[in-house]
Amino acid sequence: MVVPAPVLIEATGGAPFRMEAATRIEGEPDAVSTLATLIEARTGVTTRSVSPSVRGATEEAGHIALRTDSALDHPESYQLAVDHTDVTLTGGDAA
């Protein structure tokens, strides 16, 4: 379940993203910690955080990026993009 519910979903097909221990989470430290805790509690998978400067060295592992973009229409709006290697969640603010 995604809250708030998406206004638009575009399915492109392709392979699913697979969560595993090598999956890296990048973003603001508190957000990364919160997401890692939730993932571990719900799946048992312990992920790792990574700074953006190390990203190129971890291309073979799955990657989750948490970003903010004040240019989004509303502070509570978000964009979620997923492919087989990456998940990018961009929010209008840090909330």
Side-chain angles (χ1 to χ4, degrees):
M1 174 187 281
V2 178
V3 177
V7 172
L8 174 68
I9 297 175
E10 293 180 30
T12 59
F17 179 83
R18 301 230 185 258
M19 182 71 61
E20 55 190 43
T23 299
R24 305 290 200 264
I25 304 174
E26 167 195 324
E28 189 275 323
D30 287 342
V32 169
S33 177
T34 298
L35 181 58
T37 299
L38 289 170
I39 289 170
E40 185 171 11
R42 294 200 167 116
T43 68
V45 174
T46 302
T47 58
R48 300 180 189 158
S49 64
V50 62
S51 71
S53 62
V54 182
R55 172 69 172 110
T58 62
E59 289 295 326
E60 72 284 349
H63 177 250
I64 299 172
L66 305 175
R67 306 199 187 323
T68 57
D69 183 352
S70 60
L72 291 175
D73 294 340
H74 188 276
E76 292 183 3
S77 62
Y78 66 92
Q79 295 176 339
L80 177 63
V82 181
D83 65 24
H84 71 285
T85 59
D86 295 298
V87 173
T88 302
L89 178 59
T90 305
D93 62 15

